[in-house]
Amino acid sequence: MATNVILARMGEVTLKGLNRGRFEAQLMNNLRYRLRSFGKVSIFQSQSRIWIESKEEGNPYFETEESAKELMTAVTQVFGIVSVSLARKFQGDINDIDRNAEEYVKNLLAANPSYKTFKVECKRGNKKFPMNSPMICEEVGAWILEHFENLSVDVHNPDFILHVEVRDDNYVYAGKMMGHRGLPVGTAGKGMLLLSGGIDSPVAGYMMASRGMPIDAVYFHSFPYTSEQAKQKVVDLAKIVSRFSGRMNLYIVDFTKIQLDMVKNSPHDMLTIVMRRVMLQIAEQIAKKNDCKCLITGESLGQVASQTLEAISITNEVVDMPILRPLIGMDKEATVKISRDIGAFETSILPYEDCCTIFVAKHPKTHPKHADIEEAEKNLDIEAMVKQGVEENLEVIKI
Ligand code: ATP
Ligand code: MG
C-alpha cells in the first residue's frame, strides 16, 4: 500500500549550532499551527527534512499533485522551509519501486502534460537493500521508458527528475515548490508594524517576519475621511501578512480628531512630519503595552518628502524603541515583486484613500530643520494627542 506524504526541506535553521534544537522546535510548532485546517496530520523531522503525513485515510489534500497544492503552498509559507515536494511512500523490493514510480509518473504527467524528458536519481539509506543506487536508477529508468512511450531520458536538462529514496520505507517524488526560506517566526522578539493600505508596509512586515519576528500591527484610521473600505483593506492586508507571520493583533487607532487638530494648528508644509512623529509615539506606547520590542515601517529612502534622511531623523527622535525599516535601501520595483509574490499587490492597489494623502500638503518640506518642527508643534499638545490615540476608541482585531 502506498500513501502520499509531503517532504519539506529546512534551510538556514540547519546552520544554527547550539541553538538548532530551539529553532527546529519552533519550526515544527509553526507548521502544526499553519496546517491545523488540513485534517489530522503527523509531522516529524529527521536530519534537515520534515515529513508530513495524513493520519486519516482519504484526506483529499494528500490525494493528487493537484489536490496537494493548497497544503504544499501553506507549507512553503512557513518561514524556515526551503522547498516542498509531494512524495509517494511505500514498502517493498525493486518491483514495488518500479510500480510505484510508474504510478507516480502517471499522476505527474496528468498534471504536467508537456513533460517529455526525465532522469532518475537515487539515494540509498538502507544499505541492506540488494541493489546499489546506480543499479536502481538504471532499472527504474528502463521501466519508465518502457511504460511511457512519449518520455525519453535527458541527463543534462530533463523536464523532471524522478527521485527514488530507499530507506526504512521507499519514496519516489519529482519536482519541488520553493519555500519562502528565512527563520521560524517566534525565534526573535515581537515587532509592531505600522500597517497602512499601501504596497510597502505589508512587504516590510513580511520581511521582518522572515527573520523570525512575530508581528502585531497598528493602523491609523481617520473616519470618515478614510472610509470603512480603506479599513477593510488594511484588515485584508493583515490577513495576507499573517499567512506568513502567524497570529497577529491589529490595533486600529481613531486618528480623526488628532489629525484635524494638526491641520488646524500647524503649518501645512510640515503636516506630514508632525503626523508621522505623533503616529510613531502612539505606536510605541501600544507596542510597549503589548510586549513588542521594535517598530517596523515601510519607509524607503527618498521615496517621498517624508522619507528624506532629514525627515527620517526628525521623526526618529521622538521614540526610544528601534525602528526597523527593511525597505530603506530597496528599489520600488523590487518591493512590488515581493508584494506580488506574497499575494498582497492586488489588495494594496485598491483605490481607497489613505489618511496621509488626504491631509497632505502640496509642497511639503523635504529638508526640515529643528527650528521648523519646533515651530510646527508649538501650538499642539502632543502629549495629549498621544494619550488620546492610545486610550480613546482603540480597537483590537484578532487576525
Ligand atoms: P505604504 O506603501 O506602506 O503606505 P508609502 O510609500 O505610501 O508606504 P507613507 O505613506 O509615507 O509611504 O508611509 C510610510 C510608512 O508609514 C508606511 O510604510 C507605514 O509603515 C506607515 N504608515 C503610513 N500611513 C499609515 C497609517 N495610516 N497607519 C499605519 N501606518 C502608516
Ligand atoms: Mg502610504
Side-chain angles (χ1 to χ4, degrees):
M1 237 274 293
T3 52
N4 282 335
V5 302
I6 308 264
L7 159 62
R9 300 165 192 86
M10 289 189 271
E12 204 177 326
V13 171
T14 59
L15 304 176
K16 298 279 161 208
L18 289 176
N19 287 326
R20 180 169 167 174
R22 188 170 66 83
F23 280 77
E24 286 176 349
Q26 185 71 55
L27 178 56
M28 298 293 277
N29 271 339
N30 296 352
L31 275 169
R32 262 179 227 113
Y33 179 73
R34 188 66 176 79
L35 299 183
R36 69 201 183 285
S37 58
F38 291 92
K40 287 205 175 83
V41 299
S42 74
I43 304 176
F44 60 91
Q45 178 215 334
S46 102
Q47 285 150 357
S48 62
R49 293 160 154 217
I50 292 168
W51 300 93
I52 303 163
E53 297 188 15
S54 177
K55 284 198 210 165
E56 336 162 85
E57 246 171 72
N59 182 336
Y61 292 110
F62 287 81
E63 235 139 64
T64 64
E65 191 84 10
E66 203 46 45
S67 69
K69 241 179 212 148
E70 196 183 333
L71 169 55
M72 289 168 71
T73 302
V75 177
T76 63
Q77 292 175 341
V78 176
F79 286 122
I81 298 295
V82 170
S83 66
V84 182
S85 304
L86 179 69
R88 194 173 168 88
K89 172 180 156 184
F90 54 93
Q91 296 204 316
D93 61 13
I94 188 68
N95 295 318
D96 296 291
I97 296 179
D98 278 342
R99 266 184 278 116
N100 279 285
E102 179 187 340
E103 192 61 27
Y104 188 93
V105 171
K106 199 167 96 189
N107 277 327
L108 186 70
L109 293 182
N112 307 278
S114 65
Y115 284 180
K116 294 280 177 278
T117 57
F118 76 104
K119 78 169 172 179
V120 182
E121 282 182 6
C122 181
K123 272 200 198 119
R124 188 179 58 134
N126 171 8
K127 298 298 173 198
K128 291 199 197 105
F129 197 83
M131 296 164 83
N132 66 18
S133 298
M135 287 159 79
I136 299 170
C137 281
E138 200 175 314
E139 163 60 33
V140 174
W143 182 274
I144 296 299
L145 279 174
E146 200 177 305
H147 288 80
F148 298 90
E149 49 186 37
N150 291 332
L151 286 181
S152 60
V153 171
D154 179 347
V155 291
H156 300 296
N157 192 20
D159 292 332
F160 69 93
I161 299 176
L162 183 67
H163 295 269
V164 177
E165 296 198 10
V166 178
R167 301 172 183 274
D168 294 337
D169 294 290
N170 304 318
Y171 300 89
V172 291
Y173 61 89
K176 43 176 131 162
M177 277 168 86
M178 298 316 287
H180 286 257
R181 300 179 174 268
L183 294 172
V185 172
T187 54
K190 188 160 67 163
M192 178 65 78
L193 171 66
L194 281 83
L195 182 61
S196 70
I199 295 171
D200 300 329
S201 44
V203 172
Y206 162 86
M207 284 176 72
M208 291 325 302
S210 86
R211 299 312 298 166
M213 184 175 278
I215 283 179
D216 278 344
V218 54
Y219 166 60
F220 297 85
H221 189 42
S222 295
F223 189 80
Y225 302 97
T226 53
S227 62
E228 198 52 39
Q229 285 121 308
K231 174 176 156 189
Q232 185 56 43
K233 178 180 169 186
V234 173
V235 173
D236 292 342
L237 287 170
K239 284 183 185 157
I240 293 169
V241 174
S242 80
R243 285 181 202 150
F244 300 89
S245 67
R247 260 178 278 239
M248 172 195 297
N249 288 330
L250 171 61
Y251 298 91
I252 314 271
V253 174
D254 179 357
F255 208 43
T256 316
K257 271 201 258 163
I258 301 173
Q259 233 174 350
L260 290 174
D261 188 354
M262 287 175 189
V263 172
K264 208 165 124 204
N265 297 312
S266 66
H268 283 200
D269 60 354
M270 285 295 289
L271 208 53
T272 312
I273 292 181
V274 171
M275 188 174 73
R276 303 196 57 75
R277 280 163 59 106
V278 172
M279 275 185 176
L280 285 175
Q281 290 174 78
I282 294 172
E284 185 182 43
Q285 295 301 321
I286 301 173
K288 273 187 189 152
K289 284 189 183 170
N290 294 283
D291 202 30
C292 294
K293 307 276 192 289
C294 68
L295 302 177
I296 305 164
T297 76
E299 288 162 302
S300 174
L301 192 65
Q303 196 181 80
V304 288
S306 60
Q307 298 177 23
T308 63
L309 194 54
E310 290 83 348
I312 285 178
S313 29
I314 283 188
T315 45
N316 239 13
E317 283 170 356
V318 292
V319 293
D320 297 326
M321 268 185 191
I323 305 173
L324 304 184
R325 301 178 172 89
L327 308 187
I328 197 71
M330 262 170 72
D331 188 82
K332 189 77 187 187
E333 223 171 290
T335 305
V336 166
K337 182 172 184 316
I338 299 177
S339 170
R340 286 186 194 279
D341 283 349
I342 65 173
F345 188 70
E346 298 304 322
T347 305
S348 283
I349 59 173
L350 291 173
Y352 304 119
E353 60 300 308
D354 128 10
C355 72
C356 309
T357 46
I358 290 177
F359 297 103
V360 83
K362 282 213 180 63
H363 301 288
K365 267 216 167 73
T366 48
H367 297 81
K369 299 197 183 59
H370 255 279
D372 297 325
I373 194 73
E374 273 159 31
E375 179 63 25
E377 289 183 352
K378 85 173 178 226
N379 295 324
L380 301 175
D381 185 347
I382 300 283
E383 209 176 305
M385 283 177 164
V386 173
K387 192 165 172 339
Q388 185 182 339
V390 175
E391 290 173 5
E392 274 176 42
N393 306 328
L394 184 68
E395 186 189 354
V396 191
I397 301 176
K398 299 219 176 274
I399 306 283

mmCIF file of all heavy atoms in Angstrom, residues 293-328:
data_model
loop_
_atom_site.group_PDB
_atom_site.id
_atom_site.type_symbol
_atom_site.label_atom_id
_atom_site.label_comp_id
_atom_site.label_asym_id
_atom_site.label_seq_id
_atom_site.Cartn_x
_atom_site.Cartn_y
_atom_site.Cartn_z
ATOM 1 N N LYS A 293 9.093 44.825 20.831
ATOM 2 C CA LYS A 293 10.410 45.378 21.148
ATOM 3 C C LYS A 293 10.907 46.389 20.120
ATOM 4 O O LYS A 293 11.963 46.977 20.267
ATOM 5 C CB LYS A 293 11.437 44.236 21.220
ATOM 6 C CG LYS A 293 11.044 43.091 22.142
ATOM 7 C CD LYS A 293 11.423 43.415 23.579
ATOM 8 C CE LYS A 293 11.319 42.207 24.484
ATOM 9 N NZ LYS A 293 9.920 41.796 24.729
ATOM 10 N N CYS A 294 10.169 46.541 19.025
ATOM 11 C CA CYS A 294 10.592 47.496 17.987
ATOM 12 C C CYS A 294 9.393 47.905 17.151
ATOM 13 O O CYS A 294 8.330 47.280 17.227
ATOM 14 C CB CYS A 294 11.661 46.870 17.093
ATOM 15 S SG CYS A 294 11.029 45.531 16.075
ATOM 16 N N LEU A 295 9.578 48.976 16.386
ATOM 17 C CA LEU A 295 8.563 49.390 15.417
ATOM 18 C C LEU A 295 9.085 49.035 14.025
ATOM 19 O O LEU A 295 10.297 48.972 13.807
ATOM 20 C CB LEU A 295 8.310 50.896 15.523
ATOM 21 C CG LEU A 295 7.864 51.405 16.898
ATOM 22 C CD1 LEU A 295 7.719 52.933 16.877
ATOM 23 C CD2 LEU A 295 6.546 50.760 17.325
ATOM 24 N N ILE A 296 8.160 48.817 13.096
ATOM 25 C CA ILE A 296 8.538 48.483 11.716
ATOM 26 C C ILE A 296 7.739 49.384 10.776
ATOM 27 O O ILE A 296 6.524 49.504 10.933
ATOM 28 C CB ILE A 296 8.188 47.015 11.388
ATOM 29 C CG1 ILE A 296 8.815 46.051 12.396
ATOM 30 C CG2 ILE A 296 8.613 46.658 9.967
ATOM 31 C CD1 ILE A 296 8.206 44.647 12.369
ATOM 32 N N THR A 297 8.412 50.009 9.824
ATOM 33 C CA THR A 297 7.684 50.798 8.828
ATOM 34 C C THR A 297 8.107 50.385 7.419
ATOM 35 O O THR A 297 9.130 49.721 7.229
ATOM 36 C CB THR A 297 7.943 52.318 8.953
ATOM 37 O OG1 THR A 297 9.246 52.605 8.425
ATOM 38 C CG2 THR A 297 7.852 52.803 10.385
ATOM 39 N N GLY A 298 7.338 50.826 6.447
ATOM 40 C CA GLY A 298 7.634 50.515 5.043
ATOM 41 C C GLY A 298 8.388 51.632 4.347
ATOM 42 O O GLY A 298 8.347 51.731 3.137
ATOM 43 N N GLU A 299 9.088 52.470 5.123
ATOM 44 C CA GLU A 299 9.773 53.604 4.503
ATOM 45 C C GLU A 299 10.961 53.168 3.638
ATOM 46 O O GLU A 299 11.653 52.205 3.937
ATOM 47 C CB GLU A 299 10.283 54.556 5.593
ATOM 48 C CG GLU A 299 9.146 55.321 6.256
ATOM 49 C CD GLU A 299 9.565 55.904 7.585
ATOM 50 O OE1 GLU A 299 9.989 55.127 8.465
ATOM 51 O OE2 GLU A 299 9.486 57.126 7.724
ATOM 52 N N SER A 300 11.178 53.943 2.581
ATOM 53 C CA SER A 300 12.283 53.686 1.662
ATOM 54 C C SER A 300 12.921 55.036 1.345
ATOM 55 O O SER A 300 12.219 55.987 1.009
ATOM 56 C CB SER A 300 11.705 53.023 0.413
ATOM 57 O OG SER A 300 12.687 52.886 -0.556
ATOM 58 N N LEU A 301 14.217 55.113 1.462
ATOM 59 C CA LEU A 301 14.890 56.413 1.394
ATOM 60 C C LEU A 301 14.571 57.154 0.089
ATOM 61 O O LEU A 301 14.706 56.595 -1.003
ATOM 62 C CB LEU A 301 16.408 56.228 1.514
ATOM 63 C CG LEU A 301 17.178 57.545 1.749
ATOM 64 C CD1 LEU A 301 16.814 58.164 3.086
ATOM 65 C CD2 LEU A 301 18.680 57.321 1.644
ATOM 66 N N GLY A 302 14.131 58.404 0.258
ATOM 67 C CA GLY A 302 13.912 59.256 -0.909
ATOM 68 C C GLY A 302 12.613 59.028 -1.656
ATOM 69 O O GLY A 302 12.330 59.707 -2.635
ATOM 70 N N GLN A 303 11.798 58.073 -1.195
ATOM 71 C CA GLN A 303 10.593 57.757 -1.959
ATOM 72 C C GLN A 303 9.600 58.922 -2.000
ATOM 73 O O GLN A 303 9.036 59.234 -3.038
ATOM 74 C CB GLN A 303 9.925 56.513 -1.390
ATOM 75 C CG GLN A 303 8.919 55.909 -2.335
ATOM 76 C CD GLN A 303 8.245 54.683 -1.735
ATOM 77 O OE1 GLN A 303 7.330 54.794 -0.930
ATOM 78 N NE2 GLN A 303 8.715 53.522 -2.105
ATOM 79 N N VAL A 304 9.378 59.538 -0.864
ATOM 80 C CA VAL A 304 8.505 60.721 -0.786
ATOM 81 C C VAL A 304 9.155 61.722 0.159
ATOM 82 O O VAL A 304 10.165 61.425 0.814
ATOM 83 C CB VAL A 304 7.087 60.365 -0.267
ATOM 84 C CG1 VAL A 304 6.289 59.596 -1.310
ATOM 85 C CG2 VAL A 304 7.162 59.600 1.028
ATOM 86 N N ALA A 305 8.533 62.924 0.251
ATOM 87 C CA ALA A 305 9.131 64.004 1.032
ATOM 88 C C ALA A 305 9.404 63.609 2.482
ATOM 89 O O ALA A 305 10.396 64.032 3.075
ATOM 90 C CB ALA A 305 8.217 65.218 0.983
ATOM 91 N N SER A 306 8.544 62.781 3.051
ATOM 92 C CA SER A 306 8.724 62.436 4.462
ATOM 93 C C SER A 306 9.762 61.328 4.638
ATOM 94 O O SER A 306 9.994 60.857 5.744
ATOM 95 C CB SER A 306 7.396 62.001 5.069
ATOM 96 O OG SER A 306 6.915 60.878 4.371
ATOM 97 N N GLN A 307 10.371 60.899 3.560
ATOM 98 C CA GLN A 307 11.351 59.818 3.669
ATOM 99 C C GLN A 307 12.747 60.243 3.215
ATOM 100 O O GLN A 307 13.560 59.415 2.817
ATOM 101 C CB GLN A 307 10.843 58.587 2.896
ATOM 102 C CG GLN A 307 9.534 58.067 3.507
ATOM 103 C CD GLN A 307 8.916 56.901 2.760
ATOM 104 O OE1 GLN A 307 9.584 56.177 2.044
ATOM 105 N NE2 GLN A 307 7.614 56.716 2.940
ATOM 106 N N THR A 308 13.022 61.545 3.273
ATOM 107 C CA THR A 308 14.403 62.003 3.094
ATOM 108 C C THR A 308 15.135 61.725 4.393
ATOM 109 O O THR A 308 14.510 61.508 5.440
ATOM 110 C CB THR A 308 14.474 63.513 2.823
ATOM 111 O OG1 THR A 308 13.951 64.184 3.981
ATOM 112 C CG2 THR A 308 13.664 63.902 1.593
ATOM 113 N N LEU A 309 16.459 61.757 4.352
ATOM 114 C CA LEU A 309 17.216 61.464 5.563
ATOM 115 C C LEU A 309 16.893 62.471 6.675
ATOM 116 O O LEU A 309 16.757 62.100 7.841
ATOM 117 C CB LEU A 309 18.714 61.456 5.249
ATOM 118 C CG LEU A 309 19.597 60.845 6.319
ATOM 119 C CD1 LEU A 309 19.132 59.433 6.673
ATOM 120 C CD2 LEU A 309 21.044 60.812 5.844
ATOM 121 N N GLU A 310 16.734 63.752 6.286
ATOM 122 C CA GLU A 310 16.420 64.782 7.286
ATOM 123 C C GLU A 310 15.061 64.500 7.931
ATOM 124 O O GLU A 310 14.913 64.571 9.157
ATOM 125 C CB GLU A 310 16.385 66.178 6.635
ATOM 126 C CG GLU A 310 17.742 66.697 6.194
ATOM 127 C CD GLU A 310 18.169 66.169 4.822
ATOM 128 O OE1 GLU A 310 17.530 65.231 4.292
ATOM 129 O OE2 GLU A 310 19.169 66.685 4.292
ATOM 130 N N ALA A 311 14.085 64.165 7.105
ATOM 131 C CA ALA A 311 12.741 63.904 7.639
ATOM 132 C C ALA A 311 12.758 62.664 8.530
ATOM 133 O O ALA A 311 12.156 62.639 9.611
ATOM 134 C CB ALA A 311 11.746 63.728 6.499
ATOM 135 N N ILE A 312 13.482 61.653 8.093
ATOM 136 C CA ILE A 312 13.545 60.424 8.887
ATOM 137 C C ILE A 312 14.230 60.685 10.230
ATOM 138 O O ILE A 312 13.761 60.218 11.267
ATOM 139 C CB ILE A 312 14.262 59.301 8.102
ATOM 140 C CG1 ILE A 312 13.325 58.757 7.015
ATOM 141 C CG2 ILE A 312 14.684 58.170 9.034
ATOM 142 C CD1 ILE A 312 13.928 57.679 6.141
ATOM 143 N N SER A 313 15.306 61.491 10.222
ATOM 144 C CA SER A 313 15.951 61.689 11.535
ATOM 145 C C SER A 313 15.069 62.510 12.466
ATOM 146 O O SER A 313 15.058 62.272 13.669
ATOM 147 C CB SER A 313 17.364 62.264 11.437
ATOM 148 O OG SER A 313 17.510 63.047 10.316
ATOM 149 N N ILE A 314 14.330 63.432 11.907
ATOM 150 C CA ILE A 314 13.440 64.216 12.779
ATOM 151 C C ILE A 314 12.273 63.372 13.307
ATOM 152 O O ILE A 314 11.845 63.536 14.440
ATOM 153 C CB ILE A 314 12.958 65.488 12.043
ATOM 154 C CG1 ILE A 314 14.122 66.489 12.065
ATOM 155 C CG2 ILE A 314 11.723 66.080 12.692
ATOM 156 C CD1 ILE A 314 13.792 67.859 11.569
ATOM 157 N N THR A 315 11.787 62.421 12.523
ATOM 158 C CA THR A 315 10.713 61.568 13.058
ATOM 159 C C THR A 315 11.274 60.535 14.035
ATOM 160 O O THR A 315 10.606 60.157 14.990
ATOM 161 C CB THR A 315 9.931 60.828 11.937
ATOM 162 O OG1 THR A 315 10.849 60.280 11.010
ATOM 163 C CG2 THR A 315 9.005 61.751 11.206
ATOM 164 N N ASN A 316 12.504 60.125 13.804
ATOM 165 C CA ASN A 316 13.146 59.157 14.687
ATOM 166 C C ASN A 316 13.268 59.622 16.132
ATOM 167 O O ASN A 316 13.193 58.838 17.063
ATOM 168 C CB ASN A 316 14.568 58.913 14.184
ATOM 169 C CG ASN A 316 14.807 57.471 13.837
ATOM 170 O OD1 ASN A 316 13.876 56.685 13.743
ATOM 171 N ND2 ASN A 316 16.054 57.131 13.661
ATOM 172 N N GLU A 317 13.502 60.940 16.268
ATOM 173 C CA GLU A 317 13.850 61.489 17.589
ATOM 174 C C GLU A 317 12.818 61.249 18.678
ATOM 175 O O GLU A 317 13.149 61.232 19.849
ATOM 176 C CB GLU A 317 13.999 63.016 17.467
ATOM 177 C CG GLU A 317 15.278 63.428 16.840
ATOM 178 C CD GLU A 317 15.254 64.920 16.536
ATOM 179 O OE1 GLU A 317 14.209 65.576 16.751
ATOM 180 O OE2 GLU A 317 16.287 65.399 16.064
ATOM 181 N N VAL A 318 11.564 61.083 18.283
ATOM 182 C CA VAL A 318 10.510 61.066 19.302
ATOM 183 C C VAL A 318 10.312 59.710 19.959
ATOM 184 O O VAL A 318 9.522 59.595 20.893
ATOM 185 C CB VAL A 318 9.165 61.558 18.716
ATOM 186 C CG1 VAL A 318 9.258 63.038 18.385
ATOM 187 C CG2 VAL A 318 8.776 60.740 17.487
ATOM 188 N N VAL A 319 10.965 58.682 19.461
ATOM 189 C CA VAL A 319 10.797 57.374 20.111
ATOM 190 C C VAL A 319 12.132 56.773 20.546
ATOM 191 O O VAL A 319 13.181 57.081 19.989
ATOM 192 C CB VAL A 319 10.067 56.348 19.193
ATOM 193 C CG1 VAL A 319 8.627 56.740 18.956
ATOM 194 C CG2 VAL A 319 10.797 56.171 17.890
ATOM 195 N N ASP A 320 12.051 55.905 21.556
ATOM 196 C CA ASP A 320 13.253 55.238 22.062
ATOM 197 C C ASP A 320 13.467 53.873 21.419
ATOM 198 O O ASP A 320 14.588 53.398 21.289
ATOM 199 C CB ASP A 320 13.141 55.030 23.583
ATOM 200 C CG ASP A 320 13.075 56.359 24.303
ATOM 201 O OD1 ASP A 320 13.731 57.310 23.823
ATOM 202 O OD2 ASP A 320 12.356 56.460 25.314
ATOM 203 N N MET A 321 12.382 53.225 21.083
ATOM 204 C CA MET A 321 12.497 51.876 20.506
ATOM 205 C C MET A 321 13.209 51.926 19.177
ATOM 206 O O MET A 321 13.079 52.903 18.450
ATOM 207 C CB MET A 321 11.091 51.350 20.189
ATOM 208 C CG MET A 321 10.489 50.570 21.266
ATOM 209 S SD MET A 321 8.912 49.900 20.672
ATOM 210 C CE MET A 321 8.317 49.344 22.255
ATOM 211 N N PRO A 322 13.919 50.863 18.821
ATOM 212 C CA PRO A 322 14.458 50.826 17.461
ATOM 213 C C PRO A 322 13.309 50.822 16.440
ATOM 214 O O PRO A 322 12.275 50.206 16.682
ATOM 215 C CB PRO A 322 15.223 49.507 17.384
ATOM 216 C CG PRO A 322 15.096 48.843 18.700
ATOM 217 C CD PRO A 322 14.264 49.667 19.609
ATOM 218 N N ILE A 323 13.519 51.533 15.345
ATOM 219 C CA ILE A 323 12.546 51.494 14.243
ATOM 220 C C ILE A 323 13.206 50.758 13.093
ATOM 221 O O ILE A 323 14.214 51.210 12.558
ATOM 222 C CB ILE A 323 12.156 52.910 13.788
ATOM 223 C CG1 ILE A 323 11.635 53.728 14.964
ATOM 224 C CG2 ILE A 323 11.100 52.829 12.684
ATOM 225 C CD1 ILE A 323 11.386 55.196 14.627
ATOM 226 N N LEU A 324 12.660 49.614 12.751
ATOM 227 C CA LEU A 324 13.234 48.838 11.649
ATOM 228 C C LEU A 324 12.544 49.237 10.351
ATOM 229 O O LEU A 324 11.331 49.370 10.297
ATOM 230 C CB LEU A 324 13.067 47.338 11.910
ATOM 231 C CG LEU A 324 13.645 46.825 13.222
ATOM 232 C CD1 LEU A 324 13.504 45.301 13.313
ATOM 233 C CD2 LEU A 324 15.106 47.223 13.374
ATOM 234 N N ARG A 325 13.365 49.451 9.334
ATOM 235 C CA ARG A 325 12.855 49.871 8.019
ATOM 236 C C ARG A 325 13.465 48.955 6.961
ATOM 237 O O ARG A 325 14.385 49.340 6.257
ATOM 238 C CB ARG A 325 13.256 51.312 7.733
ATOM 239 C CG ARG A 325 12.748 52.322 8.748
ATOM 240 C CD ARG A 325 13.244 53.719 8.412
ATOM 241 N NE ARG A 325 12.646 54.739 9.229
ATOM 242 C CZ ARG A 325 13.120 55.171 10.397
ATOM 243 N NH1 ARG A 325 14.231 54.637 10.885
ATOM 244 N NH2 ARG A 325 12.484 56.107 11.070
ATOM 245 N N PRO A 326 12.938 47.747 6.848
ATOM 246 C CA PRO A 326 13.586 46.777 5.961
ATOM 247 C C PRO A 326 13.637 47.205 4.498
ATOM 248 O O PRO A 326 14.443 46.680 3.740
ATOM 249 C CB PRO A 326 12.753 45.505 6.135
ATOM 250 C CG PRO A 326 11.474 45.958 6.734
ATOM 251 C CD PRO A 326 11.768 47.172 7.532
ATOM 252 N N LEU A 327 12.801 48.168 4.094
ATOM 253 C CA LEU A 327 12.797 48.571 2.676
ATOM 254 C C LEU A 327 13.678 49.784 2.409
ATOM 255 O O LEU A 327 13.696 50.300 1.295
ATOM 256 C CB LEU A 327 11.377 48.902 2.214
ATOM 257 C CG LEU A 327 10.279 47.877 2.470
ATOM 258 C CD1 LEU A 327 8.981 48.304 1.779
ATOM 259 C CD2 LEU A 327 10.690 46.513 1.953
ATOM 260 N N ILE A 328 14.419 50.235 3.417
ATOM 261 C CA ILE A 328 15.080 51.534 3.305
ATOM 262 C C ILE A 328 15.963 51.650 2.056
ATOM 263 O O ILE A 328 16.021 52.692 1.422
ATOM 264 C CB ILE A 328 15.894 51.861 4.597
ATOM 265 C CG1 ILE A 328 16.211 53.345 4.654
ATOM 266 C CG2 ILE A 328 17.157 51.039 4.737
ATOM 267 C CD1 ILE A 328 15.035 54.220 4.919
#
